[in-house]
Each structure stands twice: as C-alpha cells, then as structure tokens.
Amino acid sequence: MRAIVLIAAILFALTSPARADDVGAAQDVIRAQEQAFGRDDAAGAYSYAAPAIRQIFPQADIFMSMVQSKYAPVYRHRSFEFGAAQSDGGRIAQRVHIVDANGEAWEALYTLERQADGSLKITGCALLKAGQSV
C-alpha cells in the first residue's frame, strides 16, 4: 500500500503545475540562452548548460556547433513562446512553441535542474515538429 501511495505522490508531483517563481526562473534561463544563440555567443549559451551536457560537449564551440546542426529551430527562429510548465522539486519541464526561420512550427520541451549553488541549468531539450508524436 505504501508503494502505491508513493507512486501516486510522484506522479502527482510530475504532473502538478510548477510554482510561478520556478517557472519564471526557468523561463529566464531559457530566454537568456536563446538570446545568446541569437548573438552567436557560444560561451554565453554554454553557461546555461548543466554539468552533464558540459561533459558531452566539453567546449562552448562544440556545443554551439551541435545546436546549429541538430537544433536549428532553437538556434534561429521567427518566434519563441513559452507554453505549459511542470515541476517535481528541483526539476522543471518547460514547453516552448517555436516557429523556425522557414515558418515551420516546432514544439520544444526543455528540462532544467536546480544546481547545488541554487541556479537552474538546462539538462536537455527535446525538439519535435508540431503535429508529430513521439
């Protein structure tokens, strides 16, 4: 019975809306990285990546090259608007609606995690063309 209650509590936490201050902080981080991409500021964009991302891409220019080739709608776009957010303690998931440079719609799901120093860092971004499913 305790296991069922624990599982229910975890599922509730994962589906509960994020607190407004957490959402605002997460959106500030995502927006700051998005603006750094717009300025071609590799070091600035890289500074918002979580340690696990930095291990995969050990230099800012390598990270930027990956974003340019694999996440073109995130790198360059016509619009970038925040959607729904969810949280489970120190983790936040934030949806972003993107229209790319060619006018095609995309859905991005950013994940962020609170670090030991209290900052939020981006742990991942899943990108899907609008209308497609996983």
Side-chain angles (χ1 to χ4, degrees):
M1 182 64 167
R2 286 164 104 184
I4 293 172
V5 171
L6 180 60
I7 290 169
I10 290 170
L11 289 174
F12 176 76
L14 289 173
T15 59
S16 64
R19 292 187 350 215
D21 55 337
D22 288 341
V23 170
Q27 290 178 355
D28 287 347
V29 168
I30 294 166
R31 182 68 70 192
Q33 186 180 63
E34 179 246 348
Q35 290 173 350
F37 289 143
R39 295 187 309 271
D40 286 320
D41 177 3
Y46 189 65
S47 72
Y48 299 103
I53 301 298
R54 289 171 166 257
Q55 285 181 338
I56 297 167
F57 305 100
Q59 296 175 335
D61 59 334
I62 296 170
F63 173 75
M64 187 68 115
S65 179
M66 176 277 299
V67 171
Q68 290 168 338
S69 66
K70 305 288 185 191
Y71 292 86
V74 172
Y75 177 66
R76 292 289 189 263
H77 48 268
R78 290 183 187 174
S79 69
F80 192 93
E81 297 186 18
F82 293 110
Q86 297 175 331
S87 72
D88 71 346
R91 294 188 175 126
I92 298 171
Q94 173 67 60
R95 292 196 179 278
V96 179
H97 309 288
I98 299 171
V99 175
D100 70 16
N102 298 320
E104 294 188 65
W106 296 82
E107 184 81 18
L109 178 63
Y110 279 83
T111 54
L112 299 91
E113 188 171 75
R114 191 153 311 276
Q115 304 301 299
D117 67 1
S119 67
L120 282 172
K121 298 289 184 183
I122 298 169
T123 57
C125 178
L127 188 60
L128 191 64
K129 193 173 270 193
Q132 293 181 344
S133 60
V134 179

